[in-house]
Amino acid sequence: MLDTLRTPLEEGEIRVPRRDGTAAYPARFQLILAANPCPCAPANDVDCICSATTRRRYLGRLSGPLMDRVDIRVRMDPPGNAALMNPVGESSALVRARVMAARAAAIDRWSDHGWLTNSEVPGSALRQRFRLSPTVTRPIELFLRDGRVTARGADRALRLAWTLCDLRGGESPTESEVAQALLFRDRGYA
Ligand SMILES: [Zn+2]
């Protein structure tokens, strides 16, 4: 069922067959998925009573092709009691300002080409017209060679690297931002 989201995620529209042809509806959305690490989902990992097979089968319900379209995967560890009582970190207002600035930078860069966000830029444009230097994209080459990322995943990591660059307020992604973007795809889901 979740897998039916694959095409709209990729193409930004839903096509419904009709008697007189096919109707296409706009479907650009942000997909946020959440899952427990295993069926028993204990407060502390060490208390898990699931077998390796059970864990694998449980996570297997999120198909590889769907997960390949998820740009950022993060493993959330339970907060300690102290953190719950005294939250630390940046305020939402501060983070919002940084995100707004990053989005403005993306609009500045792409709007002449008809795109407004990094996620809208076709992979072919990122790989050719706006190609980064081989040193910067080296981590992607390595991941592709080892089969740790698919071609689609590589494009998605490139887009994410641009977003990390925009959040930093930089001109173009660095090698470390490319590596960071790949790590967001590689971890937290196993
Ligand atoms: Zn468990």
Side-chain angles (χ1 to χ4, degrees):
M1 188 61 193
L2 274 174
D3 267 346
T4 54
L5 291 171
R6 275 160 48 185
T7 309
L9 267 175
E10 202 69 19
E11 297 171 10
E13 62 176 32
I14 290 180
R15 286 187 295 275
V16 182
R18 291 277 178 78
R19 202 168 31 181
D20 51 353
T22 304
Y25 298 97
R28 284 208 162 277
F29 56 96
Q30 184 171 41
L31 176 69
I32 299 176
L33 299 164
N36 284 323
C38 67
C40 83
N44 293 306
D45 266 359
V46 288
D47 298 327
C48 174
I49 52 164
C50 306
S51 70
T53 317
T54 309
R55 286 174 76 101
R56 217 171 21 248
R57 194 180 307 135
Y58 181 75
L59 286 173
R61 285 161 60 193
L62 294 170
S63 81
L66 177 64
M67 288 308 290
D68 200 27
R69 290 162 171 83
V70 176
D71 292 341
I72 304 176
R73 306 172 201 164
V74 184
R75 183 192 163 98
M76 304 291 286
D77 290 318
N81 289 339
L84 275 180
M85 298 309 290
N86 300 297
V88 287
E90 297 174 301
S91 69
S92 296
L94 206 64
V95 176
R96 180 177 189 275
R98 195 162 64 233
V99 171
M100 298 288 281
R103 289 186 78 92
I107 290 173
D108 254 11
R109 181 172 54 247
W110 306 126
S111 60
D112 284 352
H113 308 280
W115 310 306
L116 297 176
T117 61
N118 296 325
S119 68
E120 289 172 39
V121 184
S124 56
L126 290 176
R127 277 179 272 112
Q128 294 159 23
R129 201 156 158 202
F130 301 97
R131 184 169 46 187
L132 302 168
S133 84
T135 324
V136 170
T137 51
R138 205 177 120 75
I140 289 185
E141 298 299 327
L142 293 177
F143 266 57
L144 278 169
R145 197 196 304 159
D146 295 349
R148 288 175 76 183
V149 71
T150 61
R152 177 187 292 111
D155 281 351
R156 287 180 166 270
L158 259 183
R159 294 192 190 101
L160 185 56
W162 274 102
T163 297
L164 293 170
C165 158
D166 290 335
L167 284 167
R168 170 174 56 88
E171 280 292 309
S172 74
T174 61
E175 182 186 0
S176 111
E177 279 158 351
V178 168
Q180 204 183 336
L182 284 165
L183 282 182
F184 270 125
R185 304 187 58 79
D186 204 39
R187 70 174 178 210
Y189 167 69

